[in-house]
Short mmCIF file of all heavy atoms in Angstrom, two decimals:
data_model
loop_
_atom_site.label_atom_id
_atom_site.label_comp_id
_atom_site.label_asym_id
_atom_site.label_seq_id
_atom_site.Cartn_x
_atom_site.Cartn_y
_atom_site.Cartn_z
N MET A 1 107.00 123.18 61.53
CA MET A 1 106.79 123.29 62.97
C MET A 1 107.43 122.10 63.65
O MET A 1 107.35 120.98 63.18
CB MET A 1 105.31 123.37 63.26
CG MET A 1 105.01 123.53 64.70
SD MET A 1 104.03 124.86 65.42
CE MET A 1 103.61 125.96 64.17
N SER A 2 108.03 122.34 64.78
CA SER A 2 108.76 121.29 65.52
C SER A 2 107.79 120.39 66.26
O SER A 2 106.89 120.87 66.98
CB SER A 2 109.70 121.97 66.51
OG SER A 2 110.16 121.05 67.44
N LYS A 3 107.98 119.09 66.09
CA LYS A 3 107.16 118.13 66.81
C LYS A 3 107.39 118.25 68.35
O LYS A 3 106.47 118.08 69.12
CB LYS A 3 107.44 116.69 66.36
CG LYS A 3 106.98 116.39 64.98
CD LYS A 3 107.29 114.96 64.61
CE LYS A 3 106.81 114.69 63.18
NZ LYS A 3 107.09 113.31 62.78
N THR A 4 108.61 118.56 68.72
CA THR A 4 108.91 118.70 70.13
C THR A 4 108.22 119.90 70.72
O THR A 4 107.65 119.83 71.83
CB THR A 4 110.47 118.83 70.33
OG1 THR A 4 111.08 117.67 69.78
CG2 THR A 4 110.79 118.95 71.84
N LEU A 5 108.18 121.02 70.02
CA LEU A 5 107.46 122.21 70.51
C LEU A 5 105.97 121.94 70.57
O LEU A 5 105.32 122.35 71.51
CB LEU A 5 107.75 123.44 69.64
CG LEU A 5 109.18 123.96 69.71
CD1 LEU A 5 109.31 125.22 68.82
CD2 LEU A 5 109.59 124.29 71.13
N ASP A 6 105.44 121.16 69.62
CA ASP A 6 104.03 120.78 69.67
C ASP A 6 103.78 119.91 70.93
O ASP A 6 102.75 120.08 71.58
CB ASP A 6 103.63 119.99 68.44
CG ASP A 6 103.46 120.86 67.20
OD1 ASP A 6 103.30 122.10 67.39
OD2 ASP A 6 103.49 120.35 66.09
N ALA A 7 104.69 119.01 71.24
CA ALA A 7 104.53 118.16 72.45
C ALA A 7 104.56 119.01 73.72
O ALA A 7 103.82 118.77 74.64
CB ALA A 7 105.60 117.09 72.48
N ILE A 8 105.44 120.02 73.75
CA ILE A 8 105.49 120.94 74.90
C ILE A 8 104.14 121.65 75.05
O ILE A 8 103.62 121.76 76.16
CB ILE A 8 106.65 121.93 74.80
CG1 ILE A 8 108.00 121.20 74.85
CG2 ILE A 8 106.57 122.98 75.86
CD1 ILE A 8 109.18 122.08 74.50
N ARG A 9 103.59 122.14 73.94
CA ARG A 9 102.31 122.86 73.99
C ARG A 9 101.17 122.04 74.59
O ARG A 9 100.25 122.59 75.15
CB ARG A 9 101.93 123.29 72.55
CG ARG A 9 102.74 124.41 72.01
CD ARG A 9 102.26 124.81 70.59
NE ARG A 9 103.06 125.87 70.09
CZ ARG A 9 104.13 125.69 69.24
NH1 ARG A 9 104.44 124.50 68.85
NH2 ARG A 9 104.80 126.76 68.84
N LYS A 10 101.27 120.72 74.44
CA LYS A 10 100.20 119.83 74.93
C LYS A 10 100.30 119.55 76.42
O LYS A 10 99.36 118.96 76.96
CB LYS A 10 100.24 118.52 74.12
CG LYS A 10 99.84 118.73 72.68
CD LYS A 10 99.95 117.43 71.89
CE LYS A 10 99.59 117.68 70.44
NZ LYS A 10 99.78 116.48 69.64
N GLN A 11 101.37 119.90 77.05
CA GLN A 11 101.50 119.65 78.49
C GLN A 11 100.47 120.51 79.25
O GLN A 11 100.25 121.65 78.90
CB GLN A 11 102.91 119.95 78.96
CG GLN A 11 103.90 118.99 78.30
CD GLN A 11 105.29 119.18 78.80
OE1 GLN A 11 105.53 119.34 80.00
NE2 GLN A 11 106.28 119.19 77.90
N PRO A 12 99.83 119.95 80.27
CA PRO A 12 98.73 120.65 80.94
C PRO A 12 99.13 121.96 81.66
O PRO A 12 98.25 122.80 81.94
CB PRO A 12 98.21 119.62 81.94
CG PRO A 12 99.25 118.61 82.11
CD PRO A 12 100.08 118.62 80.82
N TRP A 13 100.38 122.19 81.92
CA TRP A 13 100.82 123.42 82.62
C TRP A 13 101.27 124.51 81.63
O TRP A 13 101.60 125.60 82.05
CB TRP A 13 101.93 123.12 83.64
CG TRP A 13 103.04 122.30 83.11
CD1 TRP A 13 104.16 122.72 82.43
CD2 TRP A 13 103.14 120.90 83.14
NE1 TRP A 13 104.94 121.69 82.07
CE2 TRP A 13 104.34 120.50 82.49
CE3 TRP A 13 102.34 119.88 83.66
CZ2 TRP A 13 104.75 119.18 82.34
CZ3 TRP A 13 102.74 118.57 83.52
CH2 TRP A 13 103.93 118.23 82.89
N ILE A 14 101.24 124.23 80.36
CA ILE A 14 101.71 125.18 79.35
C ILE A 14 100.53 125.95 78.77
O ILE A 14 99.55 125.40 78.35
CB ILE A 14 102.45 124.44 78.20
CG1 ILE A 14 103.64 123.65 78.72
CG2 ILE A 14 102.88 125.43 77.11
CD1 ILE A 14 104.77 124.45 79.30
N SER A 15 100.69 127.27 78.73
CA SER A 15 99.70 128.14 78.15
C SER A 15 100.05 128.47 76.67
O SER A 15 99.20 128.42 75.80
CB SER A 15 99.58 129.45 78.93
OG SER A 15 98.67 130.33 78.30
N ALA A 16 101.32 128.78 76.43
CA ALA A 16 101.75 129.16 75.07
C ALA A 16 103.22 128.87 74.86
O ALA A 16 104.00 128.96 75.80
CB ALA A 16 101.44 130.61 74.82
N VAL A 17 103.56 128.55 73.61
CA VAL A 17 104.94 128.39 73.19
C VAL A 17 105.10 129.21 71.90
O VAL A 17 104.41 128.94 70.92
CB VAL A 17 105.32 126.92 72.93
CG1 VAL A 17 106.75 126.81 72.44
CG2 VAL A 17 105.13 126.09 74.19
N ASP A 18 105.94 130.22 71.96
CA ASP A 18 106.16 131.07 70.78
C ASP A 18 107.62 130.96 70.32
O ASP A 18 108.52 131.34 71.08
CB ASP A 18 105.83 132.52 71.10
CG ASP A 18 104.38 132.72 71.50
OD1 ASP A 18 103.52 132.31 70.72
OD2 ASP A 18 104.12 133.27 72.57
N ASP A 19 107.80 130.47 69.11
CA ASP A 19 109.17 130.32 68.58
C ASP A 19 109.51 131.61 67.83
O ASP A 19 109.06 131.84 66.73
CB ASP A 19 109.23 129.10 67.65
CG ASP A 19 110.66 128.81 67.21
OD1 ASP A 19 111.56 129.62 67.49
OD2 ASP A 19 110.86 127.73 66.59
N GLU A 20 110.31 132.44 68.47
CA GLU A 20 110.67 133.75 67.91
C GLU A 20 112.12 133.79 67.45
O GLU A 20 112.74 134.85 67.28
CB GLU A 20 110.42 134.84 68.95
CG GLU A 20 108.97 134.97 69.34
CD GLU A 20 108.71 136.06 70.35
OE1 GLU A 20 109.68 136.72 70.80
OE2 GLU A 20 107.54 136.26 70.67
N ARG A 21 112.73 132.61 67.22
CA ARG A 21 114.13 132.57 66.83
C ARG A 21 114.38 133.19 65.48
O ARG A 21 115.45 133.75 65.26
CB ARG A 21 114.62 131.13 66.86
CG ARG A 21 114.66 130.55 68.28
CD ARG A 21 115.05 129.10 68.27
NE ARG A 21 114.03 128.30 67.61
CZ ARG A 21 114.16 127.05 67.30
NH1 ARG A 21 115.28 126.38 67.55
NH2 ARG A 21 113.17 126.41 66.73
N GLU A 22 113.42 133.15 64.57
CA GLU A 22 113.62 133.73 63.24
C GLU A 22 113.81 135.25 63.29
O GLU A 22 114.38 135.85 62.38
CB GLU A 22 112.43 133.39 62.31
CG GLU A 22 112.45 131.99 61.83
CD GLU A 22 111.33 131.70 60.84
OE1 GLU A 22 110.65 132.65 60.42
OE2 GLU A 22 111.18 130.54 60.45
N ILE A 23 113.33 135.89 64.34
CA ILE A 23 113.48 137.34 64.47
C ILE A 23 114.54 137.72 65.48
O ILE A 23 114.62 138.85 65.94
CB ILE A 23 112.13 138.02 64.79
CG1 ILE A 23 111.53 137.52 66.08
CG2 ILE A 23 111.17 137.85 63.63
CD1 ILE A 23 110.33 138.34 66.58
N GLY A 24 115.40 136.74 65.86
CA GLY A 24 116.50 136.99 66.72
C GLY A 24 116.23 136.85 68.21
O GLY A 24 117.08 137.19 69.03
N ASN A 25 115.05 136.38 68.57
CA ASN A 25 114.73 136.16 69.96
C ASN A 25 114.89 134.69 70.31
O ASN A 25 115.71 134.02 69.71
CB ASN A 25 113.31 136.64 70.25
CG ASN A 25 113.17 138.14 70.05
OD1 ASN A 25 114.11 138.89 70.24
ND2 ASN A 25 111.98 138.59 69.68
N SER A 26 114.14 134.21 71.27
CA SER A 26 114.26 132.80 71.66
C SER A 26 112.89 132.14 71.60
O SER A 26 111.92 132.72 71.10
CB SER A 26 114.85 132.71 73.08
OG SER A 26 114.08 133.50 73.98
N ILE A 27 112.82 130.93 72.11
CA ILE A 27 111.54 130.22 72.24
C ILE A 27 110.96 130.67 73.59
O ILE A 27 111.57 130.47 74.63
CB ILE A 27 111.75 128.71 72.25
CG1 ILE A 27 112.39 128.25 70.93
CG2 ILE A 27 110.42 127.97 72.50
CD1 ILE A 27 112.93 126.84 70.94
N ILE A 28 109.83 131.35 73.55
CA ILE A 28 109.21 131.91 74.72
C ILE A 28 108.11 130.98 75.16
O ILE A 28 107.17 130.71 74.42
CB ILE A 28 108.60 133.30 74.47
CG1 ILE A 28 109.62 134.24 73.81
CG2 ILE A 28 108.03 133.90 75.75
CD1 ILE A 28 110.87 134.50 74.59
N VAL A 29 108.22 130.50 76.43
CA VAL A 29 107.21 129.59 77.00
C VAL A 29 106.48 130.31 78.11
O VAL A 29 107.11 130.84 79.02
CB VAL A 29 107.85 128.31 77.51
CG1 VAL A 29 106.83 127.39 78.14
CG2 VAL A 29 108.57 127.55 76.39
N THR A 30 105.17 130.30 78.03
CA THR A 30 104.32 130.89 79.06
C THR A 30 103.53 129.77 79.74
O THR A 30 102.88 128.98 79.05
CB THR A 30 103.32 131.89 78.45
OG1 THR A 30 104.08 132.86 77.72
CG2 THR A 30 102.50 132.60 79.52
N LEU A 31 103.65 129.71 81.07
CA LEU A 31 102.91 128.68 81.81
C LEU A 31 101.50 129.19 82.10
O LEU A 31 101.23 130.39 82.08
CB LEU A 31 103.61 128.39 83.14
CG LEU A 31 105.06 127.87 83.06
CD1 LEU A 31 105.62 127.72 84.47
CD2 LEU A 31 105.09 126.57 82.28
N LYS A 32 100.60 128.26 82.39
CA LYS A 32 99.27 128.65 82.81
C LYS A 32 99.36 129.42 84.15
O LYS A 32 100.35 129.27 84.87
CB LYS A 32 98.39 127.41 82.96
CG LYS A 32 98.04 126.84 81.59
CD LYS A 32 97.05 125.70 81.72
CE LYS A 32 96.73 125.18 80.31
NZ LYS A 32 95.88 123.97 80.37
N ARG A 33 98.36 130.18 84.42
CA ARG A 33 98.42 131.14 85.55
C ARG A 33 98.78 130.54 86.88
O ARG A 33 99.51 131.17 87.68
CB ARG A 33 97.02 131.83 85.63
CG ARG A 33 97.05 133.03 86.52
CD ARG A 33 95.76 133.79 86.34
NE ARG A 33 95.13 133.83 87.65
CZ ARG A 33 93.86 134.11 87.87
NH1 ARG A 33 93.07 134.25 86.85
NH2 ARG A 33 93.39 134.18 89.05
N GLU A 34 98.38 129.37 87.18
CA GLU A 34 98.64 128.76 88.51
C GLU A 34 100.00 128.06 88.57
O GLU A 34 100.29 127.45 89.63
CB GLU A 34 97.51 127.83 88.89
CG GLU A 34 97.36 126.62 87.99
CD GLU A 34 96.47 126.85 86.75
OE1 GLU A 34 96.12 127.98 86.42
OE2 GLU A 34 96.18 125.85 86.06
N TRP A 35 100.80 128.12 87.53
CA TRP A 35 102.08 127.44 87.52
C TRP A 35 103.25 128.41 87.48
O TRP A 35 103.09 129.56 87.04
CB TRP A 35 102.18 126.51 86.29
CG TRP A 35 101.24 125.35 86.38
CD1 TRP A 35 99.93 125.32 85.98
CD2 TRP A 35 101.54 124.06 86.89
NE1 TRP A 35 99.41 124.07 86.22
CE2 TRP A 35 100.38 123.29 86.79
CE3 TRP A 35 102.67 123.49 87.47
CZ2 TRP A 35 100.31 121.96 87.20
CZ3 TRP A 35 102.61 122.16 87.88
CH2 TRP A 35 101.45 121.41 87.75
N GLU A 36 104.41 127.95 87.92
CA GLU A 36 105.64 128.78 87.87
C GLU A 36 106.83 127.87 87.66
O GLU A 36 106.80 126.68 87.98
CB GLU A 36 105.83 129.60 89.12
CG GLU A 36 106.00 128.78 90.39
CD GLU A 36 105.97 129.59 91.65
OE1 GLU A 36 105.48 130.77 91.63
OE2 GLU A 36 106.43 129.11 92.67
N PHE A 37 107.90 128.43 87.10
CA PHE A 37 109.15 127.71 86.95
C PHE A 37 109.80 127.62 88.32
O PHE A 37 109.79 128.56 89.10
CB PHE A 37 110.09 128.40 85.95
CG PHE A 37 109.62 128.28 84.54
CD1 PHE A 37 108.95 129.32 83.93
CD2 PHE A 37 109.79 127.12 83.82
CE1 PHE A 37 108.48 129.22 82.61
CE2 PHE A 37 109.34 126.98 82.52
CZ PHE A 37 108.67 128.03 81.91
N CYS A 38 110.39 126.47 88.65
CA CYS A 38 110.96 126.21 89.98
C CYS A 38 112.26 126.98 90.23
O CYS A 38 112.57 127.37 91.34
CB CYS A 38 111.23 124.71 90.16
SG CYS A 38 109.77 123.68 90.11
N SER A 39 113.05 127.15 89.19
CA SER A 39 114.41 127.64 89.39
C SER A 39 114.49 129.17 89.31
O SER A 39 113.55 129.85 88.92
CB SER A 39 115.33 127.03 88.34
OG SER A 39 114.84 127.37 87.05
N GLU A 40 115.63 129.68 89.66
CA GLU A 40 116.07 131.07 89.53
C GLU A 40 115.13 132.15 90.05
O GLU A 40 115.47 132.91 90.91
CB GLU A 40 116.44 131.46 88.10
CG GLU A 40 117.56 130.70 87.47
CD GLU A 40 117.10 130.02 86.23
OE1 GLU A 40 116.24 130.55 85.52
OE2 GLU A 40 117.60 128.92 85.97
N ASP A 41 113.91 132.22 89.51
CA ASP A 41 113.05 133.36 89.75
C ASP A 41 111.67 132.91 90.25
O ASP A 41 110.77 132.71 89.42
CB ASP A 41 112.93 134.16 88.45
CG ASP A 41 112.27 135.50 88.64
OD1 ASP A 41 112.06 135.90 89.79
OD2 ASP A 41 111.97 136.13 87.62
N PRO A 42 111.50 132.72 91.55
CA PRO A 42 110.19 132.25 92.07
C PRO A 42 109.07 133.15 91.61
O PRO A 42 109.21 134.37 91.54
CB PRO A 42 110.37 132.33 93.55
CG PRO A 42 111.85 132.27 93.80
CD PRO A 42 112.47 132.94 92.61
N GLY A 43 107.96 132.56 91.19
CA GLY A 43 106.82 133.31 90.73
C GLY A 43 106.86 133.57 89.25
O GLY A 43 105.91 134.12 88.69
N CYS A 44 107.94 133.18 88.60
CA CYS A 44 108.10 133.44 87.14
C CYS A 44 107.29 132.39 86.36
O CYS A 44 107.47 131.21 86.50
CB CYS A 44 109.58 133.37 86.76
SG CYS A 44 109.85 133.61 85.01
N GLY A 45 106.46 132.89 85.46
CA GLY A 45 105.65 132.03 84.61
C GLY A 45 105.94 132.11 83.16
O GLY A 45 105.34 131.49 82.32
N VAL A 46 107.00 132.90 82.81
CA VAL A 46 107.43 133.07 81.42
C VAL A 46 108.91 132.91 81.34
O VAL A 46 109.66 133.49 82.17
CB VAL A 46 107.03 134.46 80.83
CG1 VAL A 46 107.47 134.61 79.40
CG2 VAL A 46 105.52 134.66 80.92
N LYS A 47 109.38 132.12 80.38
CA LYS A 47 110.84 131.89 80.29
C LYS A 47 111.23 131.70 78.84
O LYS A 47 110.49 131.12 78.05
CB LYS A 47 111.17 130.63 81.09
CG LYS A 47 112.64 130.43 81.35
CD LYS A 47 112.82 129.30 82.37
CE LYS A 47 114.28 129.12 82.73
NZ LYS A 47 114.45 128.06 83.71
N GLY A 48 112.42 132.22 78.49
CA GLY A 48 112.94 132.04 77.16
C GLY A 48 114.01 130.96 77.09
O GLY A 48 114.76 130.79 78.05
N PHE A 49 113.99 130.21 76.00
CA PHE A 49 114.98 129.14 75.80
C PHE A 49 115.66 129.33 74.41
O PHE A 49 114.97 129.68 73.44
CB PHE A 49 114.30 127.78 75.84
CG PHE A 49 113.61 127.50 77.16
CD1 PHE A 49 112.26 127.78 77.34
CD2 PHE A 49 114.32 126.96 78.20
CE1 PHE A 49 111.66 127.54 78.57
CE2 PHE A 49 113.71 126.69 79.44
CZ PHE A 49 112.38 127.00 79.62
N ASP A 50 116.95 129.03 74.37
CA ASP A 50 117.69 129.21 73.10
C ASP A 50 117.46 128.09 72.10
O ASP A 50 117.51 128.32 70.90
CB ASP A 50 119.19 129.34 73.37
CG ASP A 50 119.49 130.63 74.13
OD1 ASP A 50 118.79 131.65 73.91
OD2 ASP A 50 120.48 130.64 74.91
N THR A 51 117.22 126.87 72.59
CA THR A 51 117.05 125.72 71.70
C THR A 51 115.81 124.94 72.06
O THR A 51 115.28 125.06 73.21
CB THR A 51 118.26 124.78 71.77
OG1 THR A 51 118.30 124.16 73.10
CG2 THR A 51 119.59 125.50 71.52
N VAL A 52 115.38 124.09 71.16
CA VAL A 52 114.25 123.23 71.38
C VAL A 52 114.58 122.23 72.53
O VAL A 52 113.72 122.01 73.41
CB VAL A 52 113.83 122.44 70.12
CG1 VAL A 52 112.78 121.41 70.40
CG2 VAL A 52 113.35 123.44 69.06
N ALA A 53 115.79 121.75 72.55
CA ALA A 53 116.19 120.83 73.63
C ALA A 53 116.13 121.50 74.98
O ALA A 53 115.69 120.92 75.99
CB ALA A 53 117.60 120.27 73.34
N ASP A 54 116.59 122.76 75.06
CA ASP A 54 116.53 123.51 76.33
C ASP A 54 115.07 123.72 76.75
O ASP A 54 114.75 123.59 77.93
CB ASP A 54 117.19 124.87 76.16
CG ASP A 54 118.69 124.80 76.06
OD1 ASP A 54 119.28 123.75 76.38
OD2 ASP A 54 119.31 125.83 75.63
N ALA A 55 114.21 124.02 75.79
CA ALA A 55 112.79 124.20 76.10
C ALA A 55 112.17 122.93 76.61
O ALA A 55 111.41 122.91 77.59
CB ALA A 55 112.03 124.71 74.86
N ARG A 56 112.50 121.82 75.99
CA ARG A 56 111.97 120.50 76.40
C ARG A 56 112.36 120.18 77.83
O ARG A 56 111.53 119.88 78.67
CB ARG A 56 112.43 119.40 75.46
CG ARG A 56 111.90 118.02 75.87
CD ARG A 56 112.37 116.91 74.96
NE ARG A 56 113.81 116.91 74.94
CZ ARG A 56 114.54 116.63 73.88
NH1 ARG A 56 113.97 116.32 72.73
NH2 ARG A 56 115.86 116.64 73.95
N SER A 57 113.64 120.34 78.14
CA SER A 57 114.09 120.01 79.51
C SER A 57 113.62 121.06 80.51
O SER A 57 113.26 120.74 81.64
CB SER A 57 115.59 119.85 79.56
OG SER A 57 116.25 121.05 79.27
N GLY A 58 113.54 122.34 80.11
CA GLY A 58 113.14 123.40 81.03
C GLY A 58 111.66 123.43 81.34
O GLY A 58 111.23 124.09 82.29
N CYS A 59 110.88 122.73 80.53
CA CYS A 59 109.42 122.71 80.73
C CYS A 59 108.94 121.33 81.26
O CYS A 59 107.73 121.10 81.37
CB CYS A 59 108.70 123.02 79.43
SG CYS A 59 109.01 124.71 78.91
N ALA A 60 109.87 120.44 81.57
CA ALA A 60 109.53 119.14 82.10
C ALA A 60 108.81 119.34 83.44
O ALA A 60 109.01 120.34 84.14
CB ALA A 60 110.78 118.30 82.30
N ARG A 61 108.01 118.37 83.84
CA ARG A 61 107.25 118.47 85.09
C ARG A 61 108.14 118.75 86.31
O ARG A 61 107.74 119.51 87.18
CB ARG A 61 106.45 117.19 85.28
CG ARG A 61 105.63 117.13 86.56
CD ARG A 61 104.60 118.25 86.60
NE ARG A 61 103.91 118.29 87.88
CZ ARG A 61 104.22 119.07 88.89
NH1 ARG A 61 105.24 119.89 88.81
NH2 ARG A 61 103.51 119.03 90.02
N ARG A 62 109.31 118.24 86.31
CA ARG A 62 110.23 118.45 87.44
C ARG A 62 110.71 119.90 87.53
O ARG A 62 111.23 120.35 88.55
CB ARG A 62 111.40 117.50 87.39
CG ARG A 62 112.35 117.79 86.25
CD ARG A 62 113.49 116.78 86.15
NE ARG A 62 114.30 117.07 85.02
CZ ARG A 62 114.02 116.67 83.75
NH1 ARG A 62 112.93 115.97 83.53
NH2 ARG A 62 114.82 116.98 82.75
N GLU A 63 110.52 120.67 86.46
CA GLU A 63 111.02 122.04 86.43
C GLU A 63 109.93 123.11 86.67
O GLU A 63 110.22 124.30 86.68
CB GLU A 63 111.65 122.35 85.05
CG GLU A 63 112.83 121.46 84.74
CD GLU A 63 114.01 121.68 85.69
OE1 GLU A 63 114.18 122.82 86.18
OE2 GLU A 63 114.74 120.74 85.96
N VAL A 64 108.68 122.65 86.87
CA VAL A 64 107.56 123.57 87.14
C VAL A 64 106.85 123.12 88.41
O VAL A 64 106.95 121.95 88.82
CB VAL A 64 106.59 123.67 85.94
CG1 VAL A 64 107.28 124.17 84.71
CG2 VAL A 64 105.92 122.32 85.69
N GLN A 65 106.14 124.08 89.01
CA GLN A 65 105.36 123.74 90.21
C GLN A 65 104.12 124.62 90.27
O GLN A 65 104.10 125.68 89.66
CB GLN A 65 106.20 123.95 91.46
CG GLN A 65 106.61 125.40 91.67
CD GLN A 65 107.63 125.56 92.78
OE1 GLN A 65 108.19 124.60 93.30
NE2 GLN A 65 107.88 126.79 93.17
N LEU A 66 103.15 124.15 91.01
CA LEU A 66 101.97 124.96 91.24
C LEU A 66 102.36 126.15 92.12
O LEU A 66 103.13 125.98 93.05
CB LEU A 66 100.87 124.13 91.93
CG LEU A 66 100.10 123.18 91.01
CD1 LEU A 66 99.23 122.25 91.82
CD2 LEU A 66 99.29 123.93 89.99
N SER A 67 101.81 127.29 91.82
CA SER A 67 102.08 128.47 92.62
C SER A 67 101.40 128.35 93.98
O SER A 67 100.34 127.74 94.10
CB SER A 67 101.56 129.73 91.93
OG SER A 67 102.13 129.87 90.68
N SER A 68 102.00 128.93 94.98
CA SER A 68 101.36 128.98 96.30
C SER A 68 100.21 129.95 96.30
O SER A 68 100.34 131.05 95.73
CB SER A 68 102.37 129.43 97.37
OG SER A 68 103.41 128.54 97.47
N PRO A 69 99.08 129.59 96.90
CA PRO A 69 97.99 130.57 96.99
C PRO A 69 98.48 131.81 97.80
O PRO A 69 99.39 131.71 98.61
CB PRO A 69 96.91 129.84 97.80
CG PRO A 69 97.26 128.39 97.68
CD PRO A 69 98.75 128.32 97.50
N ALA A 70 97.90 132.95 97.57
CA ALA A 70 98.30 134.16 98.22
C ALA A 70 98.30 134.00 99.74
O ALA A 70 97.37 133.48 100.31
CB ALA A 70 97.34 135.30 97.84
N GLY A 71 99.41 134.38 100.33
CA GLY A 71 99.53 134.31 101.77
C GLY A 71 99.96 132.99 102.33
O GLY A 71 100.18 132.82 103.51
N VAL A 72 100.10 131.97 101.49
CA VAL A 72 100.51 130.62 101.94
C VAL A 72 101.93 130.37 101.48
O VAL A 72 102.25 130.49 100.32
CB VAL A 72 99.56 129.52 101.41
CG1 VAL A 72 100.04 128.16 101.83
CG2 VAL A 72 98.14 129.77 101.86
N LYS A 73 102.79 129.99 102.39
CA LYS A 73 104.18 129.68 102.05
C LYS A 73 104.52 128.28 102.43
O LYS A 73 104.04 127.73 103.37
CB LYS A 73 105.16 130.66 102.71
CG LYS A 73 105.00 132.06 102.21
CD LYS A 73 105.65 132.22 100.89
CE LYS A 73 105.42 133.63 100.37
NZ LYS A 73 105.98 133.92 99.15
#
């Protein structure tokens, strides 16, 4: 098991990290319900990464944000 993936799992905004590369997929990261990834797809709480390095940088605090409560923009 990767020490870096274990470190990602310990971040308070991370719900799950599933390494599915052995079956031809990617590293799937799921954020906790109140969090979302900042880039590309607002409201997105699940993202795939091709490498451990991509997952580490893509899950950094600067890359995630708290979701807006319903009706608040």
Side-chain angles (χ1 to χ4, degrees):
M1 182 126 354
S2 167
K3 289 181 182 181
T4 302
L5 292 181
D6 285 341
I8 293 170
R9 287 181 181 97
K10 292 177 183 176
Q11 295 183 45
W13 49 87
I14 302 294
S15 176
V17 177
D18 298 306
D19 188 352
E20 299 181 356
R21 293 176 293 171
E22 285 185 7
I23 60 170
N25 295 331
S26 55
I27 299 167
I28 309 299
V29 177
T30 305
L31 301 177
K32 289 185 178 174
R33 193 169 121 200
E34 64 273 11
W35 291 87
E36 63 188 19
F37 289 100
C38 298
S39 61
E40 298 123 34
D41 191 10
C44 179
V46 179
K47 193 169 184 179
F49 299 94
D50 292 329
T51 67
V52 172
D54 289 344
R56 180 181 57 217
S57 64
C59 294
R61 178 62 185 96
R62 69 183 176 278
E63 299 296 329
V64 299
Q65 63 189 12
L66 283 170
S67 302
S68 298
V72 177
K73 295 282 178 180

